[in-house]
Amino acid sequence: MTIQDQVLSGRVNGILLPLSAMKTENDWGVGDFAALREWTEFFASQGTKIVQILPLQETAPGETCPYSALSAFATDPVYADISDVPDVAACPRAREFVASLAPKIAEWRSAKKASFFAVKQAKLKALWFGYQYFLETEAAAGSPRARAFEAYCAAQSGWLRGYSLFRAIKEFYKWQTWTEWPEDLRNFQKQAVDTFESQYREYVNYFSYVQWVLDLQLRRAKAFAQDKGILIFGDIPFGTNLDSAEVWSERENYRLGWEIGAPADQFSKGGQRWGLPAYDWGYQHAHNLGLWRRKIRRVTELYDIFRLDHLVGFFRTYVFAPGDEVGAFDVEGEQNQIDRGYNFLKMVLEEAAGKLPVGEDLGVIPNYVRRMLIDLRIPGYKVLRWEREDNGYYREPRHYPQVSLATTSTHDTETVRGWWETMDPHERANIWEMISAQKTDGNVPFDDWSQRAILRRVLDSNSAITLFSWQDIIGTLDRVNTPGTVCDENWTYRSEYTPRQAAEVYAPQLAMYRELLKETGRA
């Protein structure tokens, strides 16, 4: 039975907690792949079957949002478990460096927010020492590990060389955007790129080595989760940063100067500009969606379930032409949009090979998108607070389609507690009537009783998958992301406690969660 069949034929619940937020006693202040194993085991003990960790793509210094990444393929070195890198453990210089970091690591670990940049720089330096040891011992001797690294580079060559070159040149030019590099490198001219690679081969290969280390650790974490009966839920961001490896090295897939965004709505009168380059869908379809096929293959190597970010963009993307203040959809006519989306999703299912895609279909979505998702057995989202009938009343979750994912909140919203406590009393009365079958004036506080009722209502839904953020289970206000906010605080949420501590501090909430899973047949 495929994972798609397994999940959609049953009733399962998952927990969302970004990997960066997974606090442990041994991390460096940002959750790593050792933390993923520890939290996976903890969540498995609570009865959950899916752990969603959000995107792991590498971001630039000062950028905390993984949906604006340096590469669509590369994992961020901040997630490396340095204690599990053989070359670091065997290298005296690396061990000495790591030991010297003890005061800083203690500081990062005790911080309330994830210190992405400082932690990543420290890990990259430790990995550099480990890489030098690898070259001197393993590579020089042509050892089995050296051959394994060569095999990895060959298998991932479709993206790895371009990424490693990009990262090395970025460092060489002190993080200048590629649009400011010398013309021959800026334009990815073969002779110039080959010359740089030949001259700085050791440094270029270092970034491939880092990705190899990360790949091995993530795969081991996924295998560990499988042994615990847990499916790992990853993510494919819709776009990448203009200053990214793929836009630089494969720019024929993009319309440079054009920008992805969203049309005006009740929350954004002038529409949204996301600062990400638009795709050239004509080129992509003419070349059999090659870039996206590689993205799907990559994500299915690493995850059991994956989220297709901004799903409607595959049907029609809202873009701003150079110099335009008002955007427009890049394909007109409903049938043309249907055809483009259908061809894309059929490709996804081909490449997924039985793994389960989930479509992020939130916002203003044409009805044909959601009908197609159900027909293709790709779950879309049902967020309790946004599901309404035509008469304005909240939709009964038992009426959600079976091929769907029901949830109380997303990483882009307030937690369920934050939503409940700031809701207009009239709206609270409306939804409480649906949840409890009781009429009220809306004066219903968020407490153990109301929280249980809200979670129970979602778990009772007809959706094959239900999913809660960790914060919704423990009843806190901590957000992961506030859309439209660009600052060091955004995307830096970190669990206050380790799994061992959380089991004690949140014992009543966790007991409630386990009971609800049993009562609703989702354990």
Side-chain angles (χ1 to χ4, degrees):
M1 181 181 291
T2 67
I3 288 175
Q4 184 182 37
D5 291 335
Q6 172 191 335
V7 172
L8 296 183
S9 63
R11 287 171 60 79
V12 296
N13 181 255
I15 295 177
L16 163 62
L17 182 63
L19 176 55
S20 58
M22 293 182 178
K23 183 175 184 177
T24 65
E25 294 177 359
N26 298 309
D27 66 56
W28 285 24
V30 178
D32 55 27
F33 291 126
L36 178 56
R37 294 194 301 273
E38 188 170 326
W39 279 86
T40 294
E41 184 169 32
F42 172 62
F43 287 150
S45 71
Q46 304 305 312
T48 197
K49 302 298 181 185
I50 297 171
V51 175
Q52 184 180 8
I53 57 177
L54 297 185
L56 303 183
Q57 277 80 357
E58 183 177 10
T59 59
E63 175 63 78
T64 55
C65 174
Y67 291 96
S68 181
L70 287 171
S71 169
F73 298 90
T75 303
D76 201 306
V78 78
Y79 299 119
D81 172 15
I82 297 299
S83 68
D84 191 34
V85 182
D87 306 307
V88 172
C91 174
R93 192 177 181 192
R95 293 199 306 270
E96 181 181 344
F97 171 69
V98 171
S100 74
L101 288 174
K104 295 300 297 182
I105 292 174
E107 179 184 323
W108 296 330
R109 192 180 292 143
S110 63
K112 291 185 177 181
K113 298 290 185 179
S115 305
F116 283 104
F117 180 66
V119 172
K120 180 157 71 173
Q121 291 306 108
K123 289 188 176 184
L124 282 170
K125 189 169 183 179
L127 288 167
W128 173 256
F129 291 141
Y131 171 64
Q132 294 298 310
Y133 185 86
F134 173 82
L135 292 179
E136 294 165 4
T137 56
E138 307 280 2
S143 70
R145 284 187 71 239
R147 292 194 296 273
F149 174 53
E150 292 172 359
Y152 169 79
C153 292
Q156 304 296 333
S157 61
W159 65 272
L160 187 61
R161 178 177 182 258
Y163 160 77
S164 299
L165 279 163
F166 178 79
R167 281 293 278 110
I169 300 172
K170 287 288 286 183
E171 295 281 359
F172 187 87
Y173 285 105
K174 302 187 186 304
W175 283 92
Q176 276 187 336
T177 175
W178 64 262
T179 59
E180 298 175 357
W181 293 350
E183 183 178 5
D184 50 0
L185 285 176
R186 180 173 71 238
N187 292 327
F188 202 77
Q189 292 179 4
K190 185 178 187 306
Q191 183 177 350
V193 171
D194 289 350
T195 298
F196 183 92
E197 183 176 29
S198 176
Q199 189 171 358
Y200 300 101
R201 187 176 305 279
E202 180 181 307
Y203 196 49
V204 172
N205 286 346
Y206 160 65
F207 292 101
S208 296
Y209 167 85
V210 171
Q211 289 301 309
W212 176 54
V213 168
L214 293 163
D215 195 273
L216 290 172
Q217 292 190 356
L218 177 51
R219 289 171 189 263
R220 284 200 295 271
K222 179 186 169 188
F224 179 87
Q226 186 176 31
D227 288 343
K228 300 295 180 181
I230 295 289
L231 300 174
I232 298 297
F233 188 171
D235 205 307
I236 304 183
F238 180 75
T240 51
N241 204 304
L242 171 65
D243 195 21
S244 66
E246 288 77 43
V247 178
W248 170 63
S249 62
E250 302 183 57
R251 71 192 67 174
E252 61 274 9
N253 288 289
Y254 302 87
R255 302 169 75 184
L256 296 189
W258 296 67
E259 185 180 348
I260 297 171
D265 57 23
Q266 60 179 323
F267 303 108
S268 177
K269 300 302 181 185
Q272 300 175 32
R273 303 180 76 115
W274 296 347
L276 304 175
Y279 290 107
D280 186 334
W281 286 110
Y283 177 90
Q284 297 228 22
H285 282 280
H287 290 79
N288 197 30
L289 293 167
L291 173 64
W292 276 98
R293 285 183 182 276
R294 286 186 284 124
K295 286 187 185 184
I296 301 300
R297 285 197 294 270
R298 173 68 176 159
V299 80
T300 54
E301 290 176 1
L302 303 176
Y303 308 114
D304 303 299
I305 304 172
F306 57 94
R307 176 182 178 273
L308 290 167
D309 175 45
H310 190 53
L311 183 85
V312 71
F314 300 115
F315 293 79
R316 62 183 196 190
T317 309
Y318 195 75
V319 297
F320 293 85
D324 282 2
E325 293 297 321
V326 178
F329 290 114
D330 60 356
V331 58
E332 296 183 358
E334 183 173 296
Q335 191 57 51
N336 291 330
Q337 296 169 2
I338 290 172
D339 291 344
R340 189 172 96 175
Y342 178 78
N343 290 333
F344 183 86
L345 292 179
K346 288 294 287 184
M347 176 277 294
V348 169
L349 292 173
E350 287 173 18
E351 298 293 346
K355 300 293 181 69
L356 178 64
V358 172
E360 187 271 290
D361 58 343
L362 302 175
V364 180
I365 307 294
N367 288 331
Y368 60 74
V369 173
R370 294 196 169 106
R371 289 197 299 268
M372 189 183 298
L373 288 179
I374 292 173
D375 290 343
L376 294 176
R377 300 176 68 238
I378 298 174
Y381 275 75
K382 298 297 174 188
V383 183
L384 182 70
R385 68 186 75 176
W386 293 332
E387 288 297 312
R388 307 249 190 169
E389 302 291 358
D390 292 340
N391 60 12
Y393 283 94
Y394 286 91
R395 182 168 300 147
E396 163 60 64
R398 292 191 185 95
H399 297 160
Y400 294 170
Q402 192 263 345
V403 180
S404 67
L405 183 157
T407 185
T408 44
S409 61
T410 76
H411 64 269
D412 287 328
T413 69
E414 313 101 318
T415 64
V416 71
R417 177 180 169 184
W419 164 64
W420 195 261
E421 292 182 343
T422 58
M423 196 188 315
D424 180 270
H426 174 75
E427 285 300 315
R428 194 181 297 115
N430 182 347
I431 194 166
W432 186 249
E433 183 176 352
M434 184 274 289
I435 290 171
S436 67
Q438 298 175 358
K439 289 189 178 293
T440 174
D441 60 2
N443 185 24
V444 181
F446 187 85
D447 55 21
D448 294 348
W449 179 58
S450 57
Q451 181 192 18
R452 181 187 180 96
I454 295 166
L455 299 186
R456 171 67 189 253
R457 207 65 175 151
V458 172
L459 288 168
D460 267 335
S461 75
N462 189 47
S463 302
I465 308 168
T466 53
L467 189 139
F468 301 126
S469 71
W470 171 240
Q471 301 95 301
D472 284 358
I473 293 172
I474 61 177
T476 65
L477 294 168
D478 304 294
R479 292 184 67 142
V480 172
N481 176 43
T482 302
T485 302
V486 180
C487 67
D488 293 342
E489 294 293 301
N490 217 25
W491 287 100
T492 58
Y493 165 67
R494 183 161 159 79
S495 169
E496 186 175 358
Y497 301 106
T498 67
R500 180 182 58 80
Q501 294 167 334
E504 298 178 6
V505 175
Y506 300 121
Q509 293 93 326
L510 292 171
M512 173 193 70
Y513 173 69
R514 293 191 300 270
E515 291 167 6
L516 288 176
L517 293 185
K518 291 178 181 178
E519 291 172 9
T520 57
R522 293 188 184 271

